[in-house]
Amino acid sequence: MSSDNSLSHTRWNCKYHIVFIPKYRRKVVYGKLRRDIGAILRRLCDMKDVEIIEAHAMPDHIHMLVKIPPKMSVSYFMGYLKGKSSLMIHDRHANLKYNHGNRTFWAKGYYVSTVGLNQKTVAKYIREQEAEDRLRDIMSKREYVDPFKK
């Protein structure tokens, strides 16, 4: 396969769909921080030779489809990514420590799923989720009237 990578004695194609959120699910990923967070995450992934296939910043969470080498565990990579990015975000935006506490930006957990041969489906989901969420929000803002009250 042409999408396989190789180490000295290994052919690999390890793709993961990762979702993580800011602490208390605050909607701070939008606005001024969005571009900075994207640049920071790209830089950190480049430093660890992790390829970002698809990524999108939602108002309250980040979706990433990444290709992680098998010599690095997903938990190690996520600890590195969230830890270093939190420090870098607080260095660039010093006012965040008053709003978000002592240099903690991300919540403790994350979601990870392996991506096999359905990479295109997951990439499409990441790209189009924001539009679907907005449509669902518009539809759910309807106020319902109790038909039995007069």
Side-chain angles (χ1 to χ4, degrees):
M1 287 186 153
S2 62
S3 65
D4 289 349
N5 294 53
S6 64
L7 297 170
S8 59
H9 299 285
T10 310
R11 300 278 303 161
W12 61 275
N13 190 0
C14 305
K15 297 175 191 151
Y16 301 94
H17 176 211
I18 298 171
V19 181
F20 52 101
I21 62 173
K23 198 162 190 166
Y24 308 118
R25 210 155 174 109
R26 291 187 174 113
K27 297 183 188 280
V28 295
V29 178
Y30 262 9
K32 297 176 185 176
L33 292 179
R34 186 175 185 176
R35 282 207 164 94
D36 283 346
I37 290 172
I40 288 169
L41 294 178
R42 279 190 293 277
R43 183 172 171 216
L44 291 172
C45 286
D46 285 343
M47 291 170 74
K48 288 291 181 182
D49 294 325
V50 172
E51 179 186 347
I52 299 174
I53 299 169
E54 190 77 39
H56 191 71
M58 298 295 290
D60 62 348
H61 61 280
I62 304 282
H63 278 278
M64 295 178 78
L65 179 59
V66 293
K67 203 171 189 180
I68 301 174
K71 64 183 178 181
M72 185 186 322
S73 71
V74 177
S75 62
Y76 168 78
F77 171 70
M78 286 306 296
Y80 165 79
L81 185 70
K82 288 169 61 176
K84 293 293 184 187
S85 66
S86 182
L87 294 174
M88 293 170 81
I89 289 167
H90 279 281
D91 283 344
R92 289 186 185 184
H93 303 277
N95 61 336
L96 286 178
K97 73 177 177 180
Y98 300 112
N99 298 333
H100 304 291
N102 300 342
R103 298 172 88 68
T104 55
F105 187 80
W106 304 112
K108 285 186 180 179
Y110 59 92
Y111 167 81
V112 64
S113 170
T114 56
V115 177
L117 299 176
N118 58 352
Q119 173 190 339
K120 291 180 183 177
T121 306
V122 173
K124 182 180 177 201
Y125 168 75
I126 291 171
R127 272 193 308 274
E128 296 175 357
Q129 185 194 8
E130 185 173 12
E132 289 177 20
D133 282 353
R134 285 186 183 163
L135 181 62
R136 205 170 292 134
D137 284 346
I138 291 169
M139 291 172 49
S140 67
K141 287 184 181 175
R142 206 181 293 155
E143 291 194 27
Y144 295 96
V145 178
D146 188 6
F148 299 109
K149 274 190 172 180
K150 290 189 177 188

